[in-house]
Amino acid sequence: MVANGSEIRSSVVASQLDVHVKYGGVVPELASREHLRAIVPVVRQAMEQAGATWDDLSAIAVTAGPGLIGSLLVGVTYAKALCFARQIPLIAVNHVEGHVHSVFLDHPGIAFPALALVVSGGHTHLFETKEAGTYRLLGKTRDDAAGEAYDKVAKLLGFQYPGGPMIDRLAPHGNRRAVKFTRPKMKGNELDFSFSGLKTAVLRWTEQQNMAEEIAARRAVKSSAIEDILKVTPQRTLDLLASFQHAVVEELLRHALISAEQIGAESVIVAGGVACNSGLREAAKKQRGLRFYFPTFHLSTDNAAMIAAAAFPKLQRKEFAKADLKPHPGLVLA
Ligand code: KG4
Ligand code: ZN
């Protein structure tokens, strides 16, 4: 629950990690079932934590897309029902715009024009945002999203899902200059990204290094404690992870800097799960003359506070969703 667009009264996140970890990734049917199971208790808990009653709510915001249809349907249907019962407005929010607002929650005074880099499991997008609420797409990934590349590389190396946080924790133990990855050359829009080549390069490397046994040994480890993982991860693999992380971070930053210059950005907003990445945060800190803004860690990955924050300007403009709102798995922001 968010008051006045920026004051977080409560933030409750129901993690489904335990369910998906067994399958090495998100299983859509299980995701919607878990949503269905969690939605009523999570909303109740958020109301309790905020010390709020239904009468305190001016509106209910819901993610209308992009995302998995089953999960979106659960949220949209429940939000519609609540709004109908309480006779309050419903506000439809784009998930990606939610991520951008996770940064405004902590840094309300960001200077515009800004460049927004949204990097998550589903997105690697660059937007020009001249003022809060306006977006022009400058570039996006043509294949895997950055977080997806992390998750896929981790999976093929025998690490647990989600791979991003694990690779990030292991990368500082390796030498980032050990493995050279060729950078993709983009035909057409130079601001577009491509991460699938990096994933294939990692696969080839594992084959050349005959890593099958090492990978199998890691898959057998059920613990996600870093000391247990380090025991089954030799130096060559730590070096590979450090080099992979370095390549991803360099690619993200390079694009961010070129596009920031193109649009004369005063600030750079980095949002989405991959905004947690320590390598990316450190590299951004070293940039001179351009301010980078990241959300706090708990707001970087998916959460409802960012959706409520993104809904606030729409509430002020009375931009409400119709009663027949339908979720859009492929909803685009710009
Ligand atoms: O925004 P998010 O919670 O969900 C989506 O909308 O996709 O992002 C999840 C993604 C996953 O791919 C996860 O591996 C990645 O963010 N991620 C990270 C880190 N923490 C989460 N990637 C790299 N480094 C991290 N520290
Ligand atoms: Zn997300």
Side-chain angles (χ1 to χ4, degrees):
M1 188 175 157
V2 173
N4 303 315
S6 60
E7 187 196 328
I8 302 179
R9 293 276 187 87
S10 62
S11 175
V12 181
V13 175
S15 172
Q16 303 190 356
L17 222 54
D18 293 351
V19 176
H20 300 301
V21 118
K22 287 184 216 126
Y23 303 94
V26 173
V27 183
E29 286 78 4
L30 296 184
S32 39
R33 200 175 71 190
E34 288 306 304
H35 266 72
L36 201 55
R37 217 200 293 267
I39 198 152
V40 173
V42 161
V43 169
R44 197 171 288 156
Q45 207 182 328
M47 296 290 283
E48 270 169 25
Q49 259 184 27
T53 66
W54 292 111
D55 290 334
D56 295 326
L57 298 182
S58 324
I60 293 176
V62 68
T63 302
L68 296 170
I69 184 68
S71 305
L72 291 171
L73 254 176
V74 172
V76 167
T77 311
Y78 187 52
K80 276 204 268 194
L82 283 178
C83 287
F84 179 71
R86 303 302 311 172
Q87 287 296 298
I88 52 174
L90 174 69
I91 301 175
V93 174
N94 182 304
H95 180 73
V96 178
E97 186 172 20
H99 274 300
V100 174
H101 275 263
S102 68
V103 183
F104 297 144
L105 271 167
D106 285 325
H107 312 282
I110 287 178
F112 292 97
L115 175 79
L117 169 64
V118 182
V119 264
S120 68
H123 292 86
T124 305
H125 283 47
L126 285 165
F127 298 101
E128 174 187 34
T129 153
K130 285 196 169 143
E131 56 185 339
T134 71
Y135 305 92
R136 183 168 73 90
L137 183 67
L138 299 171
K140 63 178 184 194
T141 181
R142 293 199 189 157
D143 39 61
D144 294 344
E148 192 180 357
Y150 265 97
D151 296 338
K152 286 181 174 171
V153 161
K155 189 173 184 178
L156 75 90
L157 289 169
F159 294 101
Q160 275 183 16
Y161 175 85
M166 182 54 80
I167 293 183
D168 192 15
R169 282 161 79 197
L170 294 170
H173 295 272
N175 171 9
R176 63 182 198 177
R177 312 238 169 254
V179 184
K180 298 268 174 279
F181 292 109
T182 42
R183 303 291 186 264
K185 288 216 174 31
M186 304 311 286
K187 285 207 181 96
N189 185 1
E190 61 162 347
L191 293 177
D192 278 351
F193 298 89
S194 170
F195 290 107
S196 69
L198 211 49
K199 178 190 62 193
T200 313
V202 171
L203 181 63
R204 295 283 161 272
W205 194 87
T206 61
E207 287 162 0
Q208 282 158 11
Q209 299 272 326
N210 294 318
M211 281 176 67
E213 245 175 68
E214 177 194 324
I215 293 169
R218 233 181 342 258
R219 285 214 173 105
V221 176
K222 294 290 164 249
S223 157
S224 55
I226 195 85
E227 50 289 359
D228 294 331
I229 305 297
L230 276 169
K231 274 183 213 149
V232 286
T233 307
Q235 195 57 45
R236 63 172 179 178
T237 306
L238 296 170
D239 290 347
L240 172 75
L241 295 180
S243 305
F244 168 77
Q245 171 136 313
H246 181 59
V248 174
V249 167
E250 213 178 56
E251 217 34 30
L252 294 175
L253 263 190
R254 193 171 66 78
H255 283 66
L257 294 177
I258 298 172
S259 41
E261 186 167 341
Q262 274 183 12
I263 62 164
E266 298 279 339
S267 19
V268 179
I269 294 165
V270 187
V274 183
C276 286
N277 190 264
S278 61
L280 184 58
R281 285 180 183 240
E282 272 162 36
K285 241 191 259 166
K286 291 189 192 134
Q287 301 305 315
R288 299 269 159 257
L290 198 57
R291 277 215 58 183
F292 278 76
Y293 295 90
F294 287 82
T296 49
F297 286 101
H298 70 280
L299 293 178
S300 293
T301 44
D302 290 349
N303 64 88
M306 68 185 195
I307 303 299
F312 188 65
K314 298 182 203 299
L315 174 65
Q316 289 177 309
R317 291 197 299 266
K318 295 196 171 14
E319 207 180 297
F320 301 135
K322 300 219 172 69
D324 65 350
L325 173 73
K326 286 182 186 58
H328 291 282
L331 190 65
V332 291
L333 188 54

